[in-house]
Every structure is written in C-alpha cells, then in structure tokens.
Amino acid sequence: MGRHSRRGDAPRSAEDTVGATGAGAPPAEAGSGRRRRSSERPGQVRGGHPEQPEWDRPGPERYGVQHGPRIPGPRREFVEAFEAPAFEAPASEASSAGGPVPRSGEAGPVLTVPKPDPARRQEPAGRPIGSPGGPDDPQDSESGEGGKGGKGRTFTGIAAAAVITVLAIVVAGQVADGGAGRDDARASGALKRGSGAGPASRGDARTAPGKASAAPATYEQKMAKLYPLDPKLAASGAFAVVPGSDKAPGKGHKYTYRVDIEKGMALDGALFAEAVQKTLNDKRSWAHNGDMTFARISTGHPDFVMTLASPVTTAKWCAKSGLDTLDENVSCDSAATDRVMINAYRWARGSSTFGDAKIFAYRQMLINHETGHRLGHNHVTCRTPGALAPVMQQQTKSLDIGGIKCRANPWVYPTA
C-alpha cells in the first residue's frame, strides 16, 4: 500500500519531539500515543491515505469501528508497521520510495500493488471535491469533532492492509505447495481411474472394446472336437437317461430308441443324443428314401437303447452277447440285450483310420454301424481298391482288408 503521501510537514510523535526540543518544537503530551494534526494545515491529505478513496464511505462502521472524539489515534509505530509495503512495487515506484520493497516471502510469486497517483483520486458519486464531507473538507481531520472521517479512513486502511497481508501470505503458501499438491492429485486421480474404483471408471469385469463375449459352441463345433478320456476307464457301471425326446421326422417304419449315458464320465450326454437323432434320420443313413425313421423317447419301452459307456463297462455288456471288445477297445451291438454299446473312448478320441481331423465323420460311422447291427446287418468288406468302405466294415480296426485298401466312410448311402 506504500507509505503515506504528505504535502506538508509530517506530524511528529512523542518520540520525535524529544529529539527536536532544541529546535523549539513544542513537545507532545507525554503518553498520549496520539498523532495530532492541525485541521488548518495547508495541503493536508485526509487520513494519510490518498490511495484509498474508495474506502471513504461508509467509513469505519463497515468494520465495526466505533468512532468519536474520545477515540485515540493509532500509534505511529503501529501505523508504520502497516505502512511498509508488503508487496513488491514497480521499479519506478520502488526507486521513489527510497529502495526495493521487501518481499512477503520466498515460497511463491510476489504480488505487486501499484501506487496510485493522488492527483487521479476518484470519489463516490454525489460527493465532489470541496463539498462537505468530500476530499477537501477542512473538517475531515484527525483532531477535533470533525476528525471522525480521517480516523475512520485510517482504521479502514489499517484493516485493509492487514487483510491483504494475510491473504498474500496464504496465497504464497498455496502457490508453494499447490504445484506438488496438484501433481499428487492428478496422479491420485489417474490411479483411481486406472484401478476402476469409481462408477464411471473401467473394471476388470468389463469387455474390451471390439471384443465380443464368446458365443456358445455349435453342434458342428462340438462334434469336430476331441475330448480326453482314459482308454482303460471303468466308470460307475450305472446309467442315466438323457432327458428329452425327438419326433420321427420321416416316413417308413418308425423305430423308437432311448439314450443312456454311464454315470461318472465327463462327456456331454445331450450332444450324444443330438448326434444319434440327426445321424439316423439323415438321408444318407438308414432313413434313406423314406425306408424308415427314428424317434427318441425318454420314457416307455423303446426298440433299443443307445448307450454311451466307458471301455470296461462296454466290454461287460458286449460279453453278454459273446463279443470281446477289450482287445481292440471297440463298440458293439449287444444283441442279447436292448443296448447298442458305444465305447466312450472311441467316441471321445476316434481312431487312426479316420484321424483326428475326421472325428466328426467317425462318430457318425459308429452310430450307423452299430445301429445297422441292431437292424440285422452283418459285417461287409470293401471289394474295390480306393473305393469308399461300406458302413458295415469294421473301419475302426482297418481300412485295408485282404490287401484291398478303401477310404473311410460314415454313411450307408454316401452318394445320396
């Protein structure tokens, strides 16, 4: 805010008069602590604050200061403590003041308050210079009954200087700490966004952009897949009915069947049941040309039971019909029972004659071959080298019978 700008001699405090008595200056009242100024001094500037005309009114009442003739003026050392500028002034003003203005601190930038020109003072509307209560009112002094305005302006300037000084210190501290604080806040925000803790944030459960969730595998995909299974597996020996039914889709003689799966195997019974229904009713199968049709049931008395069983259980049921399947781990139609036995190992792993790439076709061959036995058909071998093997040939064992090598074939009527 700068020091007071005075046109005349500055009033002297009690301390000043002690050293000036030799010059004939009258001493001030001892211990009064007041600054006295004659209201008749020419060139007087009201309140010593020409740079603060905007604080003239409503005066000290704004800050709750009670004024009157009995209120003592501020002590000089107190006034000068606040008169020393807390902010760095421009270079031209600092030079006129007699030297550089001390900084408020080294922690942050120093704010500057330019020193207004007393000649360009502005007054509130309706109070021209020279009017009563205006800037040149002779009653506006620090002494006498008319000095209440000057005292009010003095206290107002002191209060404003204190407020600005405190704000400067606070701002300097915030500037010093704000940079690191903002960096920490930004880093913290980035971690929170990265961790996904907020409601708008990304969590580990979210699907990545452009990556759709995996669709369920189709029937064709499942049938073309190999499944792990021990070739010597002996499961529980108990069977479970695969629930559900499928109507016979074609014409001709209708055969009914049920689908059972041995308990204790990690195989899909529903997939096995779907494969049986679709394979037997395919036009290349036994249902060719409307000769017959097949319907799956889960209750009542079927014509036969398509059974998916472990290798050991399959061998037991085949042995009931005088068939040995353990030697080459194959399937059979247990004609002495109502079960057509499909060896789970062959269903899961296939055979070398078809290879892994043709596991889908191999499974179709198993169903057609063993059902053919149930329908009364015996084994047939290939008679033409390079031709498709008959479906009733034991293709799991070999495709080369008697020196005639044929190609793998799952269908009764492959060219239909």
Side-chain angles (χ1 to χ4, degrees):
M1 303 229 305
R3 295 181 176 275
H4 296 298
S5 174
R6 308 184 187 280
R7 299 177 187 173
D9 296 334
R12 301 190 180 188
S13 63
E15 293 85 347
D16 294 336
T17 54
V18 170
T21 26
E29 293 180 16
S32 65
R34 296 188 180 181
R35 298 170 59 190
R36 302 185 60 86
R37 184 183 299 174
S38 173
S39 60
E40 299 176 359
R41 184 180 297 126
Q44 176 191 4
V45 177
R46 52 187 177 79
H49 281 278
E51 66 273 29
Q52 301 294 337
E54 63 273 18
W55 294 337
D56 287 352
R57 296 297 183 267
E61 289 83 2
R62 176 182 296 178
Y63 301 95
V65 178
Q66 302 297 325
H67 52 78
R70 298 181 59 84
I71 297 178
R75 296 184 179 181
R76 179 179 183 83
E77 60 271 19
F78 183 77
V79 174
E80 289 182 347
F82 284 99
E83 287 177 346
F87 311 103
E88 186 174 79
S92 60
E93 295 178 8
S95 300
S96 63
V101 181
R103 295 176 178 269
S104 60
E106 300 297 333
V110 178
L111 304 179
T112 61
V113 179
K115 186 175 180 180
D117 186 0
R120 300 181 62 183
R121 291 181 297 151
Q122 297 181 0
E123 292 298 324
R127 304 187 63 184
I129 296 176
S131 62
D136 293 335
D137 187 359
Q139 296 295 324
D140 191 5
S141 65
E142 295 187 48
S143 60
E145 294 295 326
K148 110 177 140 173
K151 294 176 183 178
R153 284 189 294 275
T154 299
F155 281 111
T156 301
I158 293 171
V163 171
I164 294 176
T165 302
V166 172
L167 289 176
I169 295 173
V170 173
V171 170
Q174 289 179 346
V175 170
D177 297 336
R182 284 191 297 272
D183 291 342
D184 293 343
R186 281 195 288 267
S188 175
L191 289 176
K192 289 181 181 178
R193 288 192 297 273
S195 65
S201 65
R202 290 186 177 92
D204 292 337
R206 286 190 170 195
T207 303
K211 183 178 179 182
S213 58
T218 64
Y219 166 73
E220 288 75 14
Q221 290 171 335
K222 293 177 182 178
M223 286 290 285
K225 181 180 178 181
L226 296 173
Y227 300 97
L229 198 132
D230 186 352
K232 297 181 179 180
L233 176 64
S236 64
F239 299 104
V241 177
V242 178
S245 61
D246 293 292
K247 294 181 179 181
K251 301 176 182 179
H253 182 76
K254 183 173 77 172
Y255 289 92
T256 60
Y257 69 94
R258 189 183 76 223
V259 175
D260 286 2
I261 184 170
E262 186 178 6
K263 297 177 181 179
M265 295 191 306
L267 291 176
D268 188 348
L271 176 63
F272 177 66
E274 185 177 3
V276 171
Q277 178 70 9
K278 287 183 176 180
T279 300
L280 292 179
N281 287 290
D282 192 285
K283 65 180 181 178
R284 295 167 292 179
S285 184
W286 300 108
H288 171 70
N289 204 22
D291 293 340
M292 60 190 71
T293 187
F294 299 86
R296 180 169 75 97
I297 62 174
S298 56
T299 59
H301 300 283
D303 293 318
F304 59 93
V305 180
M306 294 294 293
T307 307
L308 184 63
S310 65
V312 173
T313 302
T314 296
K316 289 179 179 179
W317 280 85
C318 291
K320 293 180 181 182
S321 298
L323 302 172
D324 183 7
T325 60
L326 281 177
D327 186 25
E328 296 178 277
N329 214 3
V330 292
S331 304
C332 79
D333 169 40
S334 181
T337 70
D338 60 354
R339 294 189 182 276
V340 175
M341 303 300 296
I342 303 297
N343 191 317
Y345 173 74
R346 292 299 179 182
W347 174 264
R349 305 303 300 175
S351 71
S352 60
T353 54
F354 276 70
D356 294 348
K358 294 184 178 180
I359 184 63
F360 193 158
Y362 178 78
R363 289 166 180 162
Q364 293 170 322
M365 186 276 296
L366 280 180
I367 294 170
N368 279 326
H369 182 92
E370 300 306 334
T371 302
H373 284 308
R374 176 61 55 166
L375 295 174
H377 299 279
N378 297 319
H379 287 147
V380 178
T381 60
C382 181
R383 297 181 181 273
T384 305
L388 289 174
V391 74
M392 294 309 296
Q393 182 173 317
Q394 292 178 302
Q395 298 182 64
T396 298
K397 295 181 179 180
S398 177
L399 289 174
D400 189 348
I401 306 296
I404 300 175
K405 188 176 182 179
C406 296
R407 293 179 290 138
N409 170 45
W411 299 112
V412 180
Y413 304 95
T415 58

